């Protein structure tokens, strides 16, 4: 007959690394000297861990939290694709009360960590825009595939390098992405031509924006059209991040510094 300890043995056999999520200092000290790699994953490095990955957001879902931690650790070369990782997390309270075993594979290295952690806008704003785009990609607009272009952060400069295609429905309104009603508006307005411009703090500055940054020196994969080119180019001319949904292939892509940093199928997210 097996005991609970046998189960734990299976979960902890041949781990390449142990990830401790937001540990108390007492808890961390107990595991600091563990054989093999110990990585602390938390909003800040309160325990002075040698190996640390910053969580840009306090993710409600354990799955998201783990996925981000693993991707962040891959980004920092703390682990490699194929590594087996034991994640010590807290599910019910502040104490670490669960162990989840996960295999880091290349598909987890999607670019989402880089997008959230290293953009100029607040990580929460990036997440809110990203979620709207993913949802639009999954459902489309009234069942039909739709394209959209969101330029997030450094909005003053973005406005200087663009012009209106029509009157701005968000003029003088003080609405923010993440608000459920605003998200419905964004989806509704995604039928419009041009780009949405969103500030670092999530204010919807404009819809209907025609981006005019030059494409010189912008290197994006062949086959992408003008929406993607404009979305990429504006991130070279400013510190903004662009999140683009393609009407033609349904993929979500993000650009920063004029380069593609992420490409995912919304159905897989
Ligand atoms: N400079 C620009 N600024 C803002 N929006 C633009 C710009 N250029 C194109 N767009 C938008 O992109 C839309 C689609 O253009 P196009 O088909 O060339 O892009 P694409 O990259 O192939 O995108 P998709 O994959 O969605 O077809 C246009 O209808 C327009 O709304
Ligand atoms: Mn096209």
């Amino acid at each position: 007959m097996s005991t609970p300890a046998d189960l734990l043995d299976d979960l902890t056999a041949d781990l390449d690394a142990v990830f401790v999520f937001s540990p108390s200092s007492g808890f961390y000290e107990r595991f600091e000297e563990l054989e093999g790699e110990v990585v602390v994953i938390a909003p800040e490095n309160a325990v002075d861990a040698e190996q640390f990955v910053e969580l840009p957001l306090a993710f409600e879902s354990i799955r998201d939290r783990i996925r981000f931690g693993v991707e962040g650790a891959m980004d920092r070369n703390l682990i490699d694709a194929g590594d087996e990782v034991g994640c010590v997390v807290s599910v019910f309270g502040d104490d670490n009360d669960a162990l989840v075993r996960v295999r880091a594979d290349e598909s987890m290295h999607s670019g989402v960590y880089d997008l959230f952690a290293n953009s100029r806008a607040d990580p929460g704003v990036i997440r809110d825009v990203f979620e709207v785009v993913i949802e639009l990609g999954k459902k489309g607009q009234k069942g039909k595939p739709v394209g959209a272009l969101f330029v997030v952060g450094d909005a003053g400069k973005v406005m200087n390098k663009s012009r209106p295609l029509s009157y701005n429905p968000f003029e003088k309104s003080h609405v923010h992405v993440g608000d459920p009603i605003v998200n419905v508006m964004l989806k509704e307005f995604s039928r419009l031509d041009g780009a949405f411009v969103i500030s670092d703090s999530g204010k919807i500055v404009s819809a209907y924006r025609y981006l005019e940054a030059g494409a010189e020196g912008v290197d994006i994969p062949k086959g992408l059209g003008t929406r993607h080119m404009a979305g990429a180019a504006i991130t070279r001319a400013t510190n903004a991040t662009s999140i683009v949904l393609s009407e033609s292939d349904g993929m979500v892509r993000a650009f920063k510094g004029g380069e593609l940093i992420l490409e995912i199928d919304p159905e897989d997210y």
Side-chain angles (χ1 to χ4, degrees):
M1 207 184 85
S2 292
T3 67
D6 296 333
L7 192 61
L8 267 183
D9 276 349
D10 288 349
L11 278 179
T12 55
D14 304 316
L15 290 177
D16 296 295
V18 172
F19 287 4
V20 197
F21 284 72
S22 302
S24 66
S25 50
F27 191 89
Y28 174 63
E29 275 162 25
R30 285 167 54 206
F31 291 96
E32 204 175 1
E33 307 287 312
L34 209 70
E35 218 175 292
E37 190 125 59
V38 178
V39 181
V40 166
I41 304 196
E44 52 189 84
N45 191 358
V47 297
D48 267 327
E50 228 166 85
Q51 319 259 39
F52 171 70
V53 172
E54 184 188 339
L55 264 195
L57 292 162
F59 293 99
E60 276 303 309
S61 132
I62 307 286
R63 197 167 168 265
D64 287 349
R65 219 181 295 161
I66 290 177
R67 190 149 63 170
F68 267 72
V70 169
E71 184 168 347
M74 286 172 104
D75 251 23
R76 284 165 170 63
N77 295 318
L78 297 176
I79 55 167
D80 298 314
D83 281 0
E84 297 282 340
V85 182
C87 299
V88 184
V89 293
S90 51
V91 178
F92 282 103
D94 293 336
D95 290 340
N96 295 99
D97 56 11
L99 176 73
V100 179
R101 184 182 178 113
V102 51
R103 187 188 168 83
D105 68 51
E106 206 37 61
S107 74
M108 290 176 104
H109 206 182
S110 62
V112 177
Y113 183 87
D114 181 37
L115 172 70
F116 281 39
N118 303 324
S119 285
R120 177 182 141 128
D122 289 350
V125 170
I126 298 279
R127 174 201 50 199
D128 289 341
V129 174
F130 185 68
E131 283 179 354
V132 167
V133 174
I134 292 283
E135 223 176 293
L136 256 181
K138 279 188 174 153
K139 297 202 185 121
Q141 179 63 347
K142 310 214 159 58
K144 280 211 204 107
V146 67
L149 165 51
F150 290 85
V151 185
V152 192
D154 210 3
K157 220 164 171 193
V158 172
M159 291 301 278
N160 281 334
K161 293 189 181 294
S162 59
R163 68 172 72 196
L165 288 168
S166 180
Y167 97 99
N168 173 18
F170 293 97
E171 175 102 63
K172 295 201 180 83
S173 71
H174 289 273
V175 297
H176 286 73
V177 64
D179 177 331
I181 294 168
V182 177
N183 288 358
V184 171
M185 287 165 80
L186 291 177
K187 287 180 201 158
E188 193 61 38
F189 286 133
S190 62
R191 284 180 287 113
L192 308 180
D193 266 336
F196 291 99
V197 177
I198 295 170
S199 79
D200 291 328
S201 61
K203 182 179 181 298
I204 321 284
V205 178
S206 185
Y208 255 146
R209 225 44 209 180
Y210 182 71
L211 307 175
E212 298 187 301
E216 205 184 323
V218 175
D219 185 23
I220 65 170
K222 293 269 174 309
L224 297 176
T226 59
R227 190 195 320 269
H228 294 85
M229 188 55 90
I234 194 72
T235 70
R236 208 176 117 89
T238 69
N239 289 314
T241 298
S242 291
I243 305 179
V244 187
L245 171 64
S246 168
E247 184 177 347
S248 47
D249 69 7
M251 298 290 277
V252 172
R253 297 181 178 84
F255 300 93
K256 208 173 54 180
E259 285 176 19
L260 181 73
I261 57 164
L262 168 148
E263 180 174 61
I264 53 175
D265 184 338
E267 300 295 342
D268 296 340
Y269 189 75

